[in-house]
Amino acid sequence: MKEFIATDLDGVITDTDPVFREYIRRVTGKNFKREQVTQYFYEKCLPISKEDVDRAYELMNKENVWEKMSFVEGAKESLKKLGKNFAIFIITARPKETKEKTINFLKKNEIPFEKIFFLKEGDGKIDIIKNLPARISAFIEDRLDFAKSVALNGIRTFLFDYPWNKTEEKIPNLIRIKGWGEVLTHLLN
Ligand SMILES: [Mg+2]
């Protein structure tokens, strides 16, 4: 039987930040650089409101960006390789309304996965991970608080190193990585 791993979607499989900043530009007229996104929630680190963020989201839904996202470099090929050795769960905080489109996108691109979970608002990813049918041997994420709580539960966690997840804190089981190549090195060797 294959070992299990779990991965995030936005920022890890799909390159969501540039899309999100483009939609924020369209609804606010304000241009922001990736380096300015120093927190996971854009309204907490940029001079925009939660309403602006909600409007950006609405427009993204309306224009169905979820079926035409770009991939993080190496994500597609790496997941296909990993799928030969591991059963993959995808755990996303995307709104549940995007479920059908998200699944279409993953299937169209032949991304191997056992099951996709949509987080309930207020829940952490560890809540889903604790209820999975099997223990996972690794978790891949780009949001610091999600990654931290999973790592602190003894699961080896790979955190993509981005402007919005910087910390000085040393967290056991948390491995900061630059890209999918490093995930493969750790998991396939
Ligand atoms: Mg993410």
Side-chain angles (χ1 to χ4, degrees):
M1 203 174 123
K2 283 180 181 175
E3 272 180 60
F4 291 86
I5 58 171
T7 177
D8 176 31
L9 176 56
D10 288 293
V12 167
I13 300 177
T14 53
D15 194 12
T16 311
D17 163 68
V19 179
F20 207 45
R21 278 184 290 111
E22 167 59 15
Y23 277 82
I24 285 172
R25 186 196 62 75
R26 283 179 55 192
V27 298
T28 67
K30 296 175 186 169
N31 242 319
F32 300 108
K33 293 194 184 78
R34 183 177 175 92
E35 293 67 39
Q36 290 176 275
V37 186
T38 55
Q39 290 198 48
Y40 178 81
F41 293 102
Y42 287 55
E43 69 274 20
K44 289 193 178 159
C45 53
L46 302 174
I48 56 171
S49 65
K50 175 72 169 65
E51 289 68 38
D52 294 330
V53 170
D54 292 343
R55 281 194 294 142
Y57 248 118
E58 263 170 52
L59 193 57
M60 285 165 79
N61 284 331
K62 203 170 132 203
E63 298 189 352
N64 188 21
V65 294
W66 310 110
E67 284 194 70
K68 40 197 179 203
M69 298 287 284
S70 299
F71 281 90
V72 167
E73 196 185 333
K76 199 172 177 175
E77 303 72 23
S78 301
L79 285 161
K80 285 179 185 175
K81 275 187 196 154
L82 289 171
K84 295 188 177 124
N85 294 268
F86 298 94
I88 300 168
F89 294 116
I90 298 175
I91 307 174
T92 181
R94 260 187 205 181
K96 199 152 191 188
E97 306 90 81
T98 67
K99 186 170 181 176
E100 199 189 326
K101 285 166 181 159
T102 299
I103 291 173
N104 288 346
F105 170 86
L106 293 166
K107 294 214 159 136
K108 188 174 70 192
N109 286 287
E110 299 173 334
I111 301 301
F113 67 101
E114 290 299 308
K115 198 169 175 194
I116 181 163
F117 297 89
F118 287 76
L119 213 60
K120 277 196 242 114
E121 211 168 321
D123 271 5
K125 291 196 178 177
I126 188 63
D127 301 307
I128 286 180
I129 288 170
K130 280 183 173 166
N131 289 307
L132 288 173
R135 187 177 164 82
I136 54 169
S137 40
F139 175 56
I140 310 158
E141 177 60 57
D142 73 319
R143 179 168 156 179
L144 183 61
D145 59 341
F146 286 163
K148 181 178 171 179
S149 59
V150 174
L152 290 179
N153 271 273
I155 296 162
R156 184 164 51 149
T157 298
F158 299 107
L159 180 72
F160 273 72
D161 184 39
Y162 292 147
W164 51 88
N165 61 32
K166 301 288 183 199
T167 179
E168 293 295 309
E169 197 184 349
K170 292 272 170 283
I171 302 163
N173 307 312
L174 190 101
I175 303 159
R176 198 171 274 273
I177 52 155
K178 294 285 181 201
W180 276 99
E182 284 181 61
V183 178
L184 294 189
T185 304
H186 282 281
L187 292 181
L188 298 179
N189 288 341

